[in-house]
């Protein structure tokens, strides 16, 4: 079966025009999401599914879904605050959605084949879709407990306009994920407590790059900058799962909701890495870290927008994408 692309789009609002997910960045007003869908089709994906809010359905179908008609089968599912297992209710005062893995869980009734989960506002690149598409397509029919994550090289995921948050990944000799540590501030800067004379303006030996750039660093728990390898894999929320993942998520979400601290904390969220970490830690599943040469980009900061427009235009000029996608 061809794999399915599952886009997390429940963060979109009805006044979509001002949201970065639907900002026209391509030469004909294409969004970052359009390029992801185009790349997925090129990589052999056979269906597109979005998770959105129910109150956005009519506008979504008219202004977004319509452009893909005739290109690829499409389906919608819906995330709502009260979409909870039987016996649970929304805590008083809770307004924040339940998180990315709750959004994934909403696809259980419409996805029955291997699938890739992505954010709708990140530009992942063709090679990333090729890698995850190949992994999912090559799984034997009925496969379970064998998942994947595209590990972007950290140096390919930075913003020139400030720090970024990334899940820094560790893996074993089989390239199976062993740990993801969320680092909320990563950027090129001078490491803290660097011995005098170790770093010159012309070279950055700790960074391991050949362009004379400052090394990549993350801010640790003590607020100090520590060097990070250029090519260390980081998570950009591009995951590959099989349908058994829904069953695990359903069961663990009940555990999550049964924990008083998660119900008392009105901002507690059920994240994908939380679920994946549980499954790999207990030995239930493996998650292969796939390498990609793709360079991520997006609009993390307002100042990123023009650079993103220029990078897309360059890809069009080079023939990677047609001038008009759909």
């Amino acid at each position: 079966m061809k794999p399915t692309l599952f886009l997390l789009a429940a963060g979109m609002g009805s006044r979509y025009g001002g949201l970065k997910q639907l900002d026209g960045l391509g030469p004909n007003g294409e969004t970052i999401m359009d390029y992801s869908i185009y790349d997925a089709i090129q990589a052999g994906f056979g269906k597109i599914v979005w998770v959105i809010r129910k109150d956005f359905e009519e506008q979504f179908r008219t202004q977004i879904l319509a452009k893909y008609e005739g290109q690829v089968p499409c389906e919608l599912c819906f995330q709502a605050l009260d979409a909870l297992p039987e016996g649970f209710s929304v805590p008083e005062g809770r307004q924040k959605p339940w998180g990315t893995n709750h959004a994934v869980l909403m696809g259980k009734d419409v996805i029955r084949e291997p699938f890739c989960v992505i954010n709708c506002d990140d530009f992942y690149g063709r090679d990333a879709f090729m890698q995850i598409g190949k992994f999912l397509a090559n799984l034997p029919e009925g496969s379970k407990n064998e998942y994947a994550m595209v590990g972007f090289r950290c140096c390919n995921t930075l913003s020139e306009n400030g720090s970024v948050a990334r899940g820094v990944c560790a893996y074993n000799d089989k390239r199976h994920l062993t740990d993801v540590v969320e680092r909320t501030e990563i950027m090129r800067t001078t490491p803290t407590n660097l011995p005098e004379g170790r770093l010159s303006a012309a070279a950055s030996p700790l960074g391991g790059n050949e362009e004379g750039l400052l090394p990549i660093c993350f801010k640790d728990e003590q607020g100090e900058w520590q060097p990070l390898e250029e090519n260390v894999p980081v998570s950009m929320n591009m995951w590959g799962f099989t349908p058994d993942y829904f069953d695990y998520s359903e069961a663990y979400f009940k555990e999550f909701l049964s924990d008083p601290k998660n119900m008392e904390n009105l901002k507690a969220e059920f994240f994908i890495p939380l679920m994946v970490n549980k499954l790999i830690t207990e030995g239930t599943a493996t998650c292969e870290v796939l390498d990609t040469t793709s360079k991520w980009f997006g609009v993390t900061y307002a100042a990123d927008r023009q650079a993103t427009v220029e990078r897309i235009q360059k890809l069009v000029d080079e023939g990677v994408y047609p001038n008009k996608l759909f």
Side-chain angles (χ1 to χ4, degrees), residues 105-126:
L105 193 49
M106 299 302 101
K108 182 178 181 180
D109 293 334
V110 297
I111 298 176
R112 297 174 181 82
E113 55 281 320
F115 63 100
C116 169
V117 177
I118 65 167
N119 298 328
C120 65
D121 56 353
D122 286 311
F123 191 104
Y124 292 100
R126 180 77 50 79

Side-chain angles (χ1 to χ4, degrees), residues 82-96:
D82 60 356
L84 300 175
E86 188 175 350
F88 295 93
S89 58
V90 179
E92 185 177 354
R94 172 96 192 193
Q95 295 182 330
K96 190 174 183 63

Side-chain angles (χ1 to χ4, degrees), residues 1-246:
M1 299 179 73
K2 289 186 175 182
T4 285
L5 181 66
F6 191 15
L7 292 106
L8 305 184
M12 291 182 180
S14 55
R15 295 183 63 187
Y16 78 98
L19 293 183
K20 64 179 182 179
Q21 296 99 323
L22 293 172
D23 191 4
L25 302 171
N28 289 282
E30 291 88 354
T31 66
I32 286 178
M33 181 170 65
D34 289 330
Y35 287 97
S36 290
I37 291 170
Y38 183 88
D39 281 341
I41 293 171
Q42 298 299 307
F45 283 74
K47 184 171 72 175
I48 312 296
V49 176
W50 289 264
V51 56
I52 65 171
R53 294 201 328 257
K54 183 67 176 176
D55 64 317
F56 190 30
E57 180 180 8
E58 184 177 351
Q59 190 172 18
F60 192 94
R61 288 187 183 279
T62 301
Q63 298 178 339
I64 299 170
L65 213 59
K67 75 170 75 174
Y68 305 117
E69 287 181 355
Q71 305 286 338
V72 62
C74 299
E75 292 195 54
L76 298 179
C77 58
F78 306 98
Q79 184 181 23
L81 202 57
D82 60 356
L84 300 175
E86 188 175 350
F88 295 93
S89 58
V90 179
E92 185 177 354
R94 172 96 192 193
Q95 295 182 330
K96 190 174 183 63
W98 290 104
T100 51
N101 211 57
H102 178 252
V104 170
L105 193 49
M106 299 302 101
K108 182 178 181 180
D109 293 334
V110 297
I111 298 176
R112 297 174 181 82
E113 55 281 320
F115 63 100
C116 169
V117 177
I118 65 167
N119 298 328
C120 65
D121 56 353
D122 286 311
F123 191 104
Y124 292 100
R126 180 77 50 79
D127 183 69
F129 284 98
M130 290 293 184
Q131 298 300 330
I132 194 76
K134 180 180 177 182
F135 174 88
L136 294 172
N138 286 342
L139 289 173
E141 188 173 349
S143 287
K144 295 182 177 181
N145 306 327
E146 293 182 49
Y147 311 141
M149 183 207 76
V150 177
F152 283 74
R153 299 170 188 179
C154 189
C155 61
N156 288 337
T157 73
L158 304 178
S159 168
E160 296 179 357
N161 298 299
S163 65
V164 295
R166 301 285 181 257
V168 179
C169 304
Y171 57 85
N172 61 22
D173 57 358
K174 295 181 179 180
R175 288 196 68 89
H176 289 166
L177 185 69
T178 56
D179 193 26
V180 180
V181 179
E182 187 68 20
R183 297 297 183 186
T184 57
E185 292 186 66
I186 297 177
M187 63 188 298
R188 291 194 182 277
T189 188
T190 304
T192 305
N193 301 324
L194 187 71
E196 188 175 351
R198 178 69 190 275
L199 188 72
S200 71
S204 50
L206 281 177
N209 64 72
E210 299 177 358
E211 302 176 24
L213 300 172
L214 287 171
I216 301 172
C217 295
F218 69 90
K219 187 174 282 188
D220 67 14
E221 291 77 3
Q222 286 70 47
E224 298 193 338
W225 290 104
Q226 304 294 344
L228 197 60
E229 292 180 17
E230 292 278 316
N231 291 323
V232 66
V234 297
S235 171
M236 298 304 301
N237 215 32
M238 191 177 202
W239 303 88
F241 299 120
T242 44
D244 52 295
Y245 184 79
F246 292 123

